[in-house]
Each structure stands twice: as structure tokens, then as C-alpha cells.
Amino acid sequence: MASTERAHLPNNTGFILSGLEKFNEFQSLFVLIFLVVYIVTMAGNILIVVLVILDHHFHTPMYFFLGNLSFLEACYSTNILPKMLAGLLDGDTMISHMSCLTQWYFFGCLGGTECYLLSVMSYDRYLAICKPLHYANLMSTKACIHLAAASWLNGFIETSVLLVFMSQLVFCGPTKIDHFFCESLTLIRLSCSNTRAAEIMSFILAVIFTLPPFLLTLTSYVCIIAAILKIPSTTGRKKAFSTCSSHLIVVSIFYGSIMFVYMLPKTEALRGLDKVFSLLYTALPPLVNPFIYSLRNKEVMEALRKMLVRFVLDKRH
């Protein structure tokens, strides 16, 4: 009986993303919400990328890394939200095996890269506050390019190694993925082949590639806060903290959501909450990051205003 229920299915049969099924009653509302989220996310992040490229005032290390982060966030959202919207619109939540593996691959690559970019940005803020006299030499154009390239490379290396193990998994019925997108732990649990190698490698890669950037980010902010507290004047402390407060908020949202997802006990009662926080850390950071960096930064707001005025004037002429 068990062998009949779990009959082998070809890997190209595909999966059903059943995490979207609960939204059927509120289909129109959630389509509108996710569509607005996607449009605002793309517009906000693309605007920042354009600003960083076109405005010479933003040709600095901090904004160079911010441009990389915004480009990553736009790719991150495009990897997940369009498929979710399509599933809500036409009710077709089927995803092919290759498409699912591709979505998981880019999700892993971009997530890993974001960990490194956030740690590099925190290191940049550490140097600016704690080593101001050496900042220009340590954060030269060449160093910034190397740090950004290393962040992207590490994110893709980590997931590419795990892809070798994931591609060897065999999937049997039922083919329902109880999630909104193709996520590694969900796929591993769904496989009917021996998943021990994939699980061990997933853990090892997480320790090697994810823990170091998190510890670097944490250490940087411990040093930054310690340095700020030593500043005698209140005005000086506020000014120093304002240079890194936006990034600290972004880091807190990103790692806070991830911790809720991967550190909550995997019980049936908490499974729904697990999916909610997965949705939060995939949709919330790309949505709020442009607002956090722009609304809290007068320089960015002024540049945006000038760019929009220039655009309107050009259209009139």
C-alpha cells in the first residue's frame, strides 16, 4: 500500500505549490496586495540603482554597495513574486521540476549574496566610524569592487555546490509543496530518496558561508556601538549613529525574519507561522529597504526630487 501511494514520479512531472491554496477565498485581495508589493519593490530598488549609476554624488563605497543590494533585491523579488501572482490569478500553482529547482537555486544564490553584502556594508560603516583616517585607503574603488564581487561569488558558489546534491534527489507522490515557493528544506523533506547527504551538505555550507558574514556583521556593530558610546557629545553620538542606523534596521529585519523561520520548532502548530515569516523575509526586505535608505537620507531624497523634476521637464520639451 505504501509503495503504491509513493510510486516513483519522474523528476520532470513537477510540483504543486499548495501554500497558495489558502488564499483562494481572498484571491482578488491578495493579487492586489502582491501586485502592489512587487511594483513598489521594483520601482524603489531600480530607482536607487539608477541614482547610484547616474549621480556622481553617489559614487562612494556606501552607495556602491547599496546599489548592489538594490539590484539583488529586484532580482530576489522577480524570482518569487511573479510566480505567486500567476498562481493566484489563474489558480495554476503547478511548477515543473526544472523551474522549481531554478527558483530554489536563484533564491539560495541571492540569499547567500545578501548575507555577504550586508556584512560588507556593516564593515564599511565600521571603518567610517571607527577608522575614519584610514577609510579612504581601506575602501578604495578597487577594494569595493573586490568586496562586491566576492559577495556575489560566495553566494553562487555555496548554492552551486548544494545544487549537485539537490539535483540527485528523487521525488515521489504526493508532489505538493506546502509553501509559497521552492525552498530547500521543503524540497528535501519531500524527497523519497536518501536525503542525508543533502541535509549534511546544506548544514555544512550554511555554517561555512552564512555564519561568518553574520558574525562579521554582529562584530562590526558591537564595535560601532562601543565607539559611538565613547563620543562625549550627544550631537556627535547622534550624527555617528545616523550614518549606520538605516543599515542596522535592514540587517535586523533580514536576520530577524530568517531566525524566526529556521529556529522555530518544526511542529504542525507552527507550520503556518513558519510560512508567514518565510513570506516576510522574501517580500519585506526588498520592499522596505529603498524606503529605509531613502526616507531617512536627505541626500537621496534630494537627488530623487531633482531626477524626477528633470524627467518631467524633458517630457514637456
mmCIF file with all atom_site columns, all heavy atoms in Angstrom, residues 127-143:
data_model
loop_
_atom_site.group_PDB
_atom_site.id
_atom_site.type_symbol
_atom_site.label_atom_id
_atom_site.label_alt_id
_atom_site.label_comp_id
_atom_site.label_asym_id
_atom_site.label_entity_id
_atom_site.label_seq_id
_atom_site.pdbx_PDB_ins_code
_atom_site.Cartn_x
_atom_site.Cartn_y
_atom_site.Cartn_z
_atom_site.occupancy
_atom_site.B_iso_or_equiv
_atom_site.pdbx_formal_charge
_atom_site.auth_seq_id
_atom_site.auth_comp_id
_atom_site.auth_asym_id
_atom_site.auth_atom_id
_atom_site.pdbx_PDB_model_num
ATOM 1   N N   . LEU A 1 127 ? 34.440 50.929 9.414  1.00 0.00 ? 127 LEU A N   1
ATOM 2   C CA  . LEU A 1 127 ? 35.632 51.693 9.031  1.00 0.00 ? 127 LEU A CA  1
ATOM 3   C C   . LEU A 1 127 ? 35.363 53.193 9.048  1.00 0.00 ? 127 LEU A C   1
ATOM 4   O O   . LEU A 1 127 ? 36.206 53.983 9.481  1.00 0.00 ? 127 LEU A O   1
ATOM 5   C CB  . LEU A 1 127 ? 36.098 51.270 7.630  1.00 0.00 ? 127 LEU A CB  1
ATOM 6   C CG  . LEU A 1 127 ? 36.684 49.869 7.485  1.00 0.00 ? 127 LEU A CG  1
ATOM 7   C CD1 . LEU A 1 127 ? 37.068 49.594 6.039  1.00 0.00 ? 127 LEU A CD1 1
ATOM 8   C CD2 . LEU A 1 127 ? 37.891 49.670 8.400  1.00 0.00 ? 127 LEU A CD2 1
ATOM 9   N N   . ALA A 1 128 ? 34.170 53.595 8.574  1.00 0.00 ? 128 ALA A N   1
ATOM 10  C CA  . ALA A 1 128 ? 33.828 55.018 8.518  1.00 0.00 ? 128 ALA A CA  1
ATOM 11  C C   . ALA A 1 128 ? 33.757 55.636 9.909  1.00 0.00 ? 128 ALA A C   1
ATOM 12  O O   . ALA A 1 128 ? 34.127 56.804 10.098 1.00 0.00 ? 128 ALA A O   1
ATOM 13  C CB  . ALA A 1 128 ? 32.497 55.196 7.795  1.00 0.00 ? 128 ALA A CB  1
ATOM 14  N N   . ILE A 1 129 ? 33.287 54.874 10.892 1.00 0.00 ? 129 ILE A N   1
ATOM 15  C CA  . ILE A 1 129 ? 33.098 55.408 12.247 1.00 0.00 ? 129 ILE A CA  1
ATOM 16  C C   . ILE A 1 129 ? 34.308 55.162 13.135 1.00 0.00 ? 129 ILE A C   1
ATOM 17  O O   . ILE A 1 129 ? 34.743 56.053 13.880 1.00 0.00 ? 129 ILE A O   1
ATOM 18  C CB  . ILE A 1 129 ? 31.829 54.796 12.886 1.00 0.00 ? 129 ILE A CB  1
ATOM 19  C CG1 . ILE A 1 129 ? 30.580 55.291 12.137 1.00 0.00 ? 129 ILE A CG1 1
ATOM 20  C CG2 . ILE A 1 129 ? 31.729 55.156 14.366 1.00 0.00 ? 129 ILE A CG2 1
ATOM 21  C CD1 . ILE A 1 129 ? 29.299 54.618 12.548 1.00 0.00 ? 129 ILE A CD1 1
ATOM 22  N N   . CYS A 1 130 ? 34.888 53.969 13.053 1.00 0.00 ? 130 CYS A N   1
ATOM 23  C CA  . CYS A 1 130 ? 35.976 53.595 13.966 1.00 0.00 ? 130 CYS A CA  1
ATOM 24  C C   . CYS A 1 130 ? 37.366 53.860 13.399 1.00 0.00 ? 130 CYS A C   1
ATOM 25  O O   . CYS A 1 130 ? 38.323 54.007 14.164 1.00 0.00 ? 130 CYS A O   1
ATOM 26  C CB  . CYS A 1 130 ? 35.847 52.120 14.346 1.00 0.00 ? 130 CYS A CB  1
ATOM 27  S SG  . CYS A 1 130 ? 34.274 51.693 15.123 1.00 0.00 ? 130 CYS A SG  1
ATOM 28  N N   . LYS A 1 131 ? 37.494 53.894 12.077 1.00 0.00 ? 131 LYS A N   1
ATOM 29  C CA  . LYS A 1 131 ? 38.803 54.126 11.443 1.00 0.00 ? 131 LYS A CA  1
ATOM 30  C C   . LYS A 1 131 ? 38.690 55.220 10.376 1.00 0.00 ? 131 LYS A C   1
ATOM 31  O O   . LYS A 1 131 ? 39.077 55.018 9.217  1.00 0.00 ? 131 LYS A O   1
ATOM 32  C CB  . LYS A 1 131 ? 39.315 52.828 10.790 1.00 0.00 ? 131 LYS A CB  1
ATOM 33  C CG  . LYS A 1 131 ? 39.314 51.606 11.670 1.00 0.00 ? 131 LYS A CG  1
ATOM 34  C CD  . LYS A 1 131 ? 40.472 51.611 12.636 1.00 0.00 ? 131 LYS A CD  1
ATOM 35  C CE  . LYS A 1 131 ? 40.498 50.313 13.454 1.00 0.00 ? 131 LYS A CE  1
ATOM 36  N NZ  . LYS A 1 131 ? 41.628 50.299 14.419 1.00 0.00 ? 131 LYS A NZ  1
ATOM 37  N N   . PRO A 1 132 ? 38.199 56.381 10.733 1.00 0.00 ? 132 PRO A N   1
ATOM 38  C CA  . PRO A 1 132 ? 37.939 57.427 9.714  1.00 0.00 ? 132 PRO A CA  1
ATOM 39  C C   . PRO A 1 132 ? 39.187 57.886 8.968  1.00 0.00 ? 132 PRO A C   1
ATOM 40  O O   . PRO A 1 132 ? 39.112 58.224 7.785  1.00 0.00 ? 132 PRO A O   1
ATOM 41  C CB  . PRO A 1 132 ? 37.322 58.568 10.528 1.00 0.00 ? 132 PRO A CB  1
ATOM 42  C CG  . PRO A 1 132 ? 37.766 58.326 11.932 1.00 0.00 ? 132 PRO A CG  1
ATOM 43  C CD  . PRO A 1 132 ? 37.869 56.851 12.084 1.00 0.00 ? 132 PRO A CD  1
ATOM 44  N N   . LEU A 1 133 ? 40.342 57.898 9.627  1.00 0.00 ? 133 LEU A N   1
ATOM 45  C CA  . LEU A 1 133 ? 41.568 58.373 8.980  1.00 0.00 ? 133 LEU A CA  1
ATOM 46  C C   . LEU A 1 133 ? 42.088 57.398 7.925  1.00 0.00 ? 133 LEU A C   1
ATOM 47  O O   . LEU A 1 133 ? 42.793 57.791 6.991  1.00 0.00 ? 133 LEU A O   1
ATOM 48  C CB  . LEU A 1 133 ? 42.656 58.624 10.031 1.00 0.00 ? 133 LEU A CB  1
ATOM 49  C CG  . LEU A 1 133 ? 42.337 59.701 11.088 1.00 0.00 ? 133 LEU A CG  1
ATOM 50  C CD1 . LEU A 1 133 ? 43.466 59.806 12.099 1.00 0.00 ? 133 LEU A CD1 1
ATOM 51  C CD2 . LEU A 1 133 ? 42.089 61.054 10.412 1.00 0.00 ? 133 LEU A CD2 1
ATOM 52  N N   . HIS A 1 134 ? 41.746 56.119 8.086  1.00 0.00 ? 134 HIS A N   1
ATOM 53  C CA  . HIS A 1 134 ? 42.212 55.095 7.148  1.00 0.00 ? 134 HIS A CA  1
ATOM 54  C C   . HIS A 1 134 ? 41.125 54.680 6.158  1.00 0.00 ? 134 HIS A C   1
ATOM 55  O O   . HIS A 1 134 ? 41.368 53.820 5.308  1.00 0.00 ? 134 HIS A O   1
ATOM 56  C CB  . HIS A 1 134 ? 42.679 53.853 7.916  1.00 0.00 ? 134 HIS A CB  1
ATOM 57  C CG  . HIS A 1 134 ? 43.755 54.127 8.919  1.00 0.00 ? 134 HIS A CG  1
ATOM 58  N ND1 . HIS A 1 134 ? 45.057 54.353 8.570  1.00 0.00 ? 134 HIS A ND1 1
ATOM 59  C CD2 . HIS A 1 134 ? 43.703 54.222 10.282 1.00 0.00 ? 134 HIS A CD2 1
ATOM 60  C CE1 . HIS A 1 134 ? 45.785 54.579 9.653  1.00 0.00 ? 134 HIS A CE1 1
ATOM 61  N NE2 . HIS A 1 134 ? 44.984 54.507 10.708 1.00 0.00 ? 134 HIS A NE2 1
ATOM 62  N N   . TYR A 1 135 ? 39.941 55.298 6.283  1.00 0.00 ? 135 TYR A N   1
ATOM 63  C CA  . TYR A 1 135 ? 38.786 54.856 5.491  1.00 0.00 ? 135 TYR A CA  1
ATOM 64  C C   . TYR A 1 135 ? 39.031 54.952 3.985  1.00 0.00 ? 135 TYR A C   1
ATOM 65  O O   . TYR A 1 135 ? 38.756 54.011 3.232  1.00 0.00 ? 135 TYR A O   1
ATOM 66  C CB  . TYR A 1 135 ? 37.558 55.698 5.864  1.00 0.00 ? 135 TYR A CB  1
ATOM 67  C CG  . TYR A 1 135 ? 36.308 55.311 5.095  1.00 0.00 ? 135 TYR A CG  1
ATOM 68  C CD1 . TYR A 1 135 ? 35.619 54.141 5.403  1.00 0.00 ? 135 TYR A CD1 1
ATOM 69  C CD2 . TYR A 1 135 ? 35.827 56.110 4.069  1.00 0.00 ? 135 TYR A CD2 1
ATOM 70  C CE1 . TYR A 1 135 ? 34.470 53.776 4.698  1.00 0.00 ? 135 TYR A CE1 1
ATOM 71  C CE2 . TYR A 1 135 ? 34.680 55.761 3.356  1.00 0.00 ? 135 TYR A CE2 1
ATOM 72  C CZ  . TYR A 1 135 ? 34.011 54.591 3.679  1.00 0.00 ? 135 TYR A CZ  1
ATOM 73  O OH  . TYR A 1 135 ? 32.886 54.236 2.979  1.00 0.00 ? 135 TYR A OH  1
ATOM 74  N N   . ALA A 1 136 ? 39.558 56.077 3.520  1.00 0.00 ? 136 ALA A N   1
ATOM 75  C CA  . ALA A 1 136 ? 39.756 56.286 2.078  1.00 0.00 ? 136 ALA A CA  1
ATOM 76  C C   . ALA A 1 136 ? 40.698 55.248 1.477  1.00 0.00 ? 136 ALA A C   1
ATOM 77  O O   . ALA A 1 136 ? 40.477 54.760 0.363  1.00 0.00 ? 136 ALA A O   1
ATOM 78  C CB  . ALA A 1 136 ? 40.288 57.698 1.822  1.00 0.00 ? 136 ALA A CB  1
ATOM 79  N N   . ASN A 1 137 ? 41.755 54.890 2.222  1.00 0.00 ? 137 ASN A N   1
ATOM 80  C CA  . ASN A 1 137 ? 42.714 53.901 1.719  1.00 0.00 ? 137 ASN A CA  1
ATOM 81  C C   . ASN A 1 137 ? 42.141 52.483 1.752  1.00 0.00 ? 137 ASN A C   1
ATOM 82  O O   . ASN A 1 137 ? 42.328 51.705 0.807  1.00 0.00 ? 137 ASN A O   1
ATOM 83  C CB  . ASN A 1 137 ? 44.011 53.948 2.538  1.00 0.00 ? 137 ASN A CB  1
ATOM 84  C CG  . ASN A 1 137 ? 44.815 55.204 2.262  1.00 0.00 ? 137 ASN A CG  1
ATOM 85  O OD1 . ASN A 1 137 ? 44.774 55.747 1.160  1.00 0.00 ? 137 ASN A OD1 1
ATOM 86  N ND2 . ASN A 1 137 ? 45.549 55.681 3.258  1.00 0.00 ? 137 ASN A ND2 1
ATOM 87  N N   . LEU A 1 138 ? 41.469 52.161 2.837  1.00 0.00 ? 138 LEU A N   1
ATOM 88  C CA  . LEU A 1 138 ? 40.933 50.800 3.001  1.00 0.00 ? 138 LEU A CA  1
ATOM 89  C C   . LEU A 1 138 ? 39.738 50.544 2.090  1.00 0.00 ? 138 LEU A C   1
ATOM 90  O O   . LEU A 1 138 ? 39.526 49.415 1.627  1.00 0.00 ? 138 LEU A O   1
ATOM 91  C CB  . LEU A 1 138 ? 40.537 50.567 4.463  1.00 0.00 ? 138 LEU A CB  1
ATOM 92  C CG  . LEU A 1 138 ? 41.693 50.516 5.463  1.00 0.00 ? 138 LEU A CG  1
ATOM 93  C CD1 . LEU A 1 138 ? 41.168 50.447 6.893  1.00 0.00 ? 138 LEU A CD1 1
ATOM 94  C CD2 . LEU A 1 138 ? 42.598 49.317 5.184  1.00 0.00 ? 138 LEU A CD2 1
ATOM 95  N N   . MET A 1 139 ? 38.941 51.585 1.829  1.00 0.00 ? 139 MET A N   1
ATOM 96  C CA  . MET A 1 139 ? 37.761 51.437 0.967  1.00 0.00 ? 139 MET A CA  1
ATOM 97  C C   . MET A 1 139 ? 37.986 52.146 -0.373 1.00 0.00 ? 139 MET A C   1
ATOM 98  O O   . MET A 1 139 ? 37.188 52.971 -0.799 1.00 0.00 ? 139 MET A O   1
ATOM 99  C CB  . MET A 1 139 ? 36.521 51.998 1.676  1.00 0.00 ? 139 MET A CB  1
ATOM 100 C CG  . MET A 1 139 ? 35.838 50.995 2.575  1.00 0.00 ? 139 MET A CG  1
ATOM 101 S SD  . MET A 1 139 ? 35.185 49.594 1.642  1.00 0.00 ? 139 MET A SD  1
ATOM 102 C CE  . MET A 1 139 ? 34.747 48.489 3.000  1.00 0.00 ? 139 MET A CE  1
ATOM 103 N N   . SER A 1 140 ? 39.050 51.784 -1.025 1.00 0.00 ? 140 SER A N   1
ATOM 104 C CA  . SER A 1 140 ? 39.342 52.327 -2.353 1.00 0.00 ? 140 SER A CA  1
ATOM 105 C C   . SER A 1 140 ? 38.371 51.712 -3.374 1.00 0.00 ? 140 SER A C   1
ATOM 106 O O   . SER A 1 140 ? 37.660 50.735 -3.073 1.00 0.00 ? 140 SER A O   1
ATOM 107 C CB  . SER A 1 140 ? 40.777 52.006 -2.757 1.00 0.00 ? 140 SER A CB  1
ATOM 108 O OG  . SER A 1 140 ? 40.951 50.594 -2.842 1.00 0.00 ? 140 SER A OG  1
ATOM 109 N N   . THR A 1 141 ? 38.348 52.264 -4.567 1.00 0.00 ? 141 THR A N   1
ATOM 110 C CA  . THR A 1 141 ? 37.465 51.742 -5.614 1.00 0.00 ? 141 THR A CA  1
ATOM 111 C C   . THR A 1 141 ? 37.763 50.274 -5.903 1.00 0.00 ? 141 THR A C   1
ATOM 112 O O   . THR A 1 141 ? 36.855 49.455 -6.050 1.00 0.00 ? 141 THR A O   1
ATOM 113 C CB  . THR A 1 141 ? 37.640 52.567 -6.913 1.00 0.00 ? 141 THR A CB  1
ATOM 114 O OG1 . THR A 1 141 ? 37.333 53.938 -6.645 1.00 0.00 ? 141 THR A OG1 1
ATOM 115 C CG2 . THR A 1 141 ? 36.728 52.049 -8.015 1.00 0.00 ? 141 THR A CG2 1
ATOM 116 N N   . LYS A 1 142 ? 39.043 49.944 -5.960 1.00 0.00 ? 142 LYS A N   1
ATOM 117 C CA  . LYS A 1 142 ? 39.455 48.561 -6.223 1.00 0.00 ? 142 LYS A CA  1
ATOM 118 C C   . LYS A 1 142 ? 38.983 47.630 -5.109 1.00 0.00 ? 142 LYS A C   1
ATOM 119 O O   . LYS A 1 142 ? 38.472 46.529 -5.377 1.00 0.00 ? 142 LYS A O   1
ATOM 120 C CB  . LYS A 1 142 ? 40.981 48.502 -6.351 1.00 0.00 ? 142 LYS A CB  1
ATOM 121 C CG  . LYS A 1 142 ? 41.507 47.149 -6.784 1.00 0.00 ? 142 LYS A CG  1
ATOM 122 C CD  . LYS A 1 142 ? 43.026 47.198 -6.961 1.00 0.00 ? 142 LYS A CD  1
ATOM 123 C CE  . LYS A 1 142 ? 43.557 45.837 -7.377 1.00 0.00 ? 142 LYS A CE  1
ATOM 124 N NZ  . LYS A 1 142 ? 45.046 45.872 -7.549 1.00 0.00 ? 142 LYS A NZ  1
ATOM 125 N N   . ALA A 1 143 ? 39.113 48.072 -3.852 1.00 0.00 ? 143 ALA A N   1
ATOM 126 C CA  . ALA A 1 143 ? 38.689 47.251 -2.717 1.00 0.00 ? 143 ALA A CA  1
ATOM 127 C C   . ALA A 1 143 ? 37.176 47.034 -2.734 1.00 0.00 ? 143 ALA A C   1
ATOM 128 O O   . ALA A 1 143 ? 36.694 45.926 -2.452 1.00 0.00 ? 143 ALA A O   1
ATOM 129 C CB  . ALA A 1 143 ? 39.107 47.921 -1.407 1.00 0.00 ? 143 ALA A CB  1
#
